[in-house]
């Protein structure tokens, strides 16, 4: 285990010999330098020493001509730098007694006095090849530092799970990378205050504060921040720490798993002297949630977004970066076992199985004196990033689409009463929050499944509730033939015409009709002895009642509403067809009883004041003073006109006559007996017209009550409908309300002009449906 002694006078290196003497007895030429064994090794000793699985990952460098090893005393037992300088010093001598390599500074500090001053040493002299190699290394290091000088981080997702990047192009712009660049994603997790941001800054950006750090008690990282490392070609993601003070604890925890799902490598940073159970629980629960909720969604995202690069359903690799101060690193007490084996045993004892992760590696460092040495972590990260067997690099656009798809799927508030605190990632974070109104069980589908038209589902059985009437009828005859056909009570059979169906309903009651068997039941088929359909022709099943859905056996007997619809249709048709003749007859009758000084209706084509032409639906008004024709706006004033025989009650006059009330009208003579009789006839006609109008107005109120009584149970009441359910226009006298026969909501005519049969509601003939219901495939 000694190197060949060198003479100071010659100033040259002789051949470097093996310092282990494990196989060769120190006589063979050294071929390798092992950084963790801290020795030069020949070929035979290197192979023999590194056969154990624990030692296979040691960092070994092949010795070149003129090679000089590094100082051993500048580093601790596990690669930690012992003095203030972070630069690894080249050894100047090797102590043959202590069997360590020493730089000039360490030699003066450790071998300047006492017996060590007399220890024989071998002097190293760096040759030209070594000096040239060091210059190349320094040039490469300078280039890398310069590449990261302009890197800045940006907020990717805030604490409420809202993505802060507008689109794919904005994401690429903020990363400041090429759209065609293939990247991997590295993220970091750990408890708050463990130095996650500091670790990323020193591992990827040479100590630059790309991610904000702070000595304050409050967490300096809120949400998810990202930056691009141009050296390693990775997207580096910094996350909010666990166990920190936050209002949205559940949403923050769910956000961490979204970041984990898009990552290729995650670093779990811990500064605990001993590994806590929280670390293993977090990784175990994350693995279970990833396999249960995210693998299926990632496959769907690949198909839905048409991604060229498939998203791996196998989770990322994990590096546990463990920094200690007073305790030994994991595995130091068990030389025969590798740390990864001890970690797997710990998972097994806690019944946590990290099956989702492609690999789990342990990287420890013991910091005797600050600062922390991150070189070992950096080498481990680079080694994992070079492995493309399970996670291949992809374009930044693919990374953004995956994060956007997961955010859209798993989003929304998590009710406090549904949170399970026994797990880091309970199912409530990723499943639908809807609860059955009848039995209280929750939906087991993924979040936001309704956007894809997938109905609610629960594995538990529901119980009947009279409030929601959550029964479903199925035809018993079809069930016995192996088919399950739902049937509903309704007013008439599908083969009956609307009026014939109403007549049969009045005589025989409601019917239950099966598409395969026809009418299987009538409620009043016989004078007496009619049995309940449940005992004869139908089977009853109890189904869940989800919020926002209607009951199942709601009263579909719409006979009263169909009768009103028929009467309204007839009245509207008669009104439209008779509008022209009615106008002509009314004008002729008015002229017959009008006073002689009134201008005939046939000669009044426009308002005498504003000259607005009269249309078919416009009403003409005569001024009782001058007798000319006016629109309603120009003849809205009233006053007595005794000189024309109108008084003492006020009557309609035009604006001009109202303003000239003090001027005596030019009336040459009083009305004759004939004109007096005509005037009386006119007054009687107006009284009759006003009386009929009052009667019609008075009938509107009971008519509204009749409409409410005839309304089917699933219709929204009229007094609750303030605006159109689709276009949101407010209803007024000019904008009528219409009910969709399928969903029962209120719509304007433009949003509900389609006609379609709704068998499930008892409407077998085309009836009014809204725009949204008309787009649904299949029978309504």
């Amino acid at each position: 285990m000694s190197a060949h002694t060198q003479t100071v006078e010659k100033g040259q290196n002789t051949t470097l010999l093996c310092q282990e003497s494990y196989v060769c007895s120190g006589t063979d030429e050294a071929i390798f330098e092992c950084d963790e064994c801290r020795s030069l090794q020949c070929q035979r000793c290197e192979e023999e020493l590194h056969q154990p699985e624990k030692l296979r990952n040691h960092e070994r460098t092949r010795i070149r001509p003129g090679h000089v090893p590094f100082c051993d005393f500048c580093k601790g037992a596990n690669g930690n730098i012992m003095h203030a300088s972070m630069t690894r010093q080249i050894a100047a001598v090797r102590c043959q007694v202590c069997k360590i390599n020493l730089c000039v500074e360490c030699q003066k500090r450790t071998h300047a006095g006492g017996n060590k001053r007399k220890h024989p040493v071998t002097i190293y002299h760096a040759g030209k090849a070594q000096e040239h190699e060091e210059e190349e290394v320094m040039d490469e290091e300078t280039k890398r530092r310069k590449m990261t000088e302009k890197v800045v981080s940006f907020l990717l997702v805030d604490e409420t799970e809202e993505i802060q990047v507008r689109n794919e192009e904005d994401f690429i712009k903020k990363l400041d990378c090429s759209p065609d660049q293939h990247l991997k994603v590295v993220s970091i997790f750990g408890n708050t205050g463990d130095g996650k941001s500091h670790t990323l800054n020193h591992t990827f950006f040479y100590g630059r504060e790309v991610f904000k750090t702070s000595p304050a008690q409050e967490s300096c990282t809120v949400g998810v921040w990202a930056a691009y490392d141009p050296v390693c070609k990775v997207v580096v993601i910094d996350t909010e720490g666990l166990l920190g003070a936050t209002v949205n604890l559940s949403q923050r925890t769910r956000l961490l798993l979204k970041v984990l799902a898009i990552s290729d490598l995650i670093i779990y940073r811990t500064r605990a002297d001993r590994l806590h159970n929280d670390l293993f629980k977090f990784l175990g629960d994350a693995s279970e949630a990833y396999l249960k909720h995210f693998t299926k969604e990632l496959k769907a995202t690949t198909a839905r977004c048409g991604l060229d690069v498939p998203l791996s359903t196998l989770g990322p690799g994990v590096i546990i970066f463990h920094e200690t101060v007073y305790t030994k690193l994991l595995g130091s007490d068990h030389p025969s076992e590798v740390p990864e084996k001890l970690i797997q045993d710990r998972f097994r004892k806690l019944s946590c199985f990290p099956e989702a992760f492609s690999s789990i590696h342990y990287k420890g460092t013991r910091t005797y004196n600050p600062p922390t040495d991150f070189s070992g972590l950096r080498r481990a990260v680079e080694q994992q990033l070079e492995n493309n067997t399970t996670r291949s690099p992809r374009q930044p656009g693919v990374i953004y689409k995956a994060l956007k798809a997961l955010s859209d799927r798993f989003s929304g508030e998590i009710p406090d009463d549904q949170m399970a605190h026994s797990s880091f990632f309970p199912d409530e974070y990723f499943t639908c929050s809807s609860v059955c109104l009848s039995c209280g069980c929750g939906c087991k589908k993924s979040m936001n499944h309704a956007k894809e038209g997938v109905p609610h589902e629960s594995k538990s059985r529901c119980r009947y509730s009279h409030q929601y009437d959550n029964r479903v009828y199925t035809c018993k005859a079809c069930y016995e033939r192996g088919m399950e056909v739902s049937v509903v009570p309704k007013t008439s059979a599908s083969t009956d015409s609307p009026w014939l169906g109403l007549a049969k309903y009045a005589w025989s009651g409601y019917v239950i009709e099966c598409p395969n068997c026809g009418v299987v039941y009538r409620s009043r088929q016989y004078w007496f002895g009619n049995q309940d359909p449940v005992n004869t022709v139908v089977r009853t099943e109890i189904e869940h009642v989800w919020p926002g859905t209607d009951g199942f056996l709601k009263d579909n007997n719409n006979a009263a509403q169909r009768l009103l619809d028929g009467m309204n249709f007839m009245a509207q048709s008669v009104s439209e067809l008779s509008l022209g003749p009615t106008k002509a007859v009314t004008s002729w009758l008015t002229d017959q009883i009008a006073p002689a000084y009134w201008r005939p209706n046939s000669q009044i084509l426009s308002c005498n004041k504003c000259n607005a032409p009269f249309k078919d639906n416009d009403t003409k008004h005569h001024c009782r003073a001058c007798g000319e024709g006016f629109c309603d706006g120009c003849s809205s004033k009233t006053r007595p006109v005794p000189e024309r025989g109108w008084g003492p009650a006020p009557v309609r006059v035009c604006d001009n006559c109202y303003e000239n009330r003090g001027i005596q009208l030019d009336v040459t003579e009083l009305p004759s007996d004939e004109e007096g009789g005509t005037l009386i006839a006119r007054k009687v006609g107006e009284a009759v017209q006003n009386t009929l109008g009052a009667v019609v107005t008075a009938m509107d109120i009971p008519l509204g009550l009749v409409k409410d009584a005839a309304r089917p149970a699933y219709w929204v009441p009229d007094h609750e409908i303030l605006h159109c359910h689709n276009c949101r226009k407010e209803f007024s006298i000019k904008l009528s309300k219409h009910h969709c026969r399928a969903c029962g909501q209120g719509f304007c005519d433009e949003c509900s002009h389609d006609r379609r049969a709704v068998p499930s509601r008892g409407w077998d003939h085309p009836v009014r449906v809204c725009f949204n219901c008309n787009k649904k495939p299949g029978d309504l």
Side-chain angles (χ1 to χ4, degrees), residues 191 243 268 270-281 322 346 350:
N191 294 333
L243 305 181
Y268 193 100
T270 177
R271 298 179 66 180
D273 278 336
R274 295 178 178 86
L275 296 179
H276 295 164
N277 286 348
D278 284 349
L279 183 153
F280 300 92
K281 286 286 293 179
H322 185 203
R346 185 80 173 271
L350 296 173

Side-chain angles (χ1 to χ4, degrees), residues 62 152 193 206 229 242 452 456 601 645 653 744:
R62 181 174 290 273
V152 293
Y206 300 93
D229 178 13
L242 298 170
E452 300 177 357
H456 296 285
N601 281 285
V653 295

Side-chain angles (χ1 to χ4, degrees), residues 740-764:
C740 171
R741 270 52 173 173
C743 63
Q745 295 290 342
F747 297 87
C748 65
D749 183 66
E750 293 181 359
C751 298
S752 61
H753 59 77
D754 296 307
R755 297 295 186 270
R756 188 172 171 184
V758 189
S760 63
R761 299 295 194 183
W763 307 91
D764 295 308

Side-chain angles (χ1 to χ4, degrees), residues 287-343:
S287 172
E288 181 180 358
Y290 184 90
L291 293 175
K292 190 172 185 179
H293 301 288
F294 279 72
T295 51
K296 180 173 65 176
E297 186 59 28
L298 288 172
K299 289 181 180 179
T301 302
T302 303
R304 185 167 57 247
C305 299
L307 303 180
D308 297 332
V309 180
L311 299 173
S312 176
T313 55
L314 188 62
V318 179
I319 295 179
I320 299 175
F321 182 53
H322 185 203
E323 180 183 3
T324 66
V325 177
Y326 303 108
T327 58
K328 297 180 180 179
L329 298 177
L330 186 66
S332 299
D333 297 334
H334 303 274
S336 60
E337 296 183 354
V338 294
E340 286 76 9
K341 177 68 166 54
L342 299 176
I343 289 176

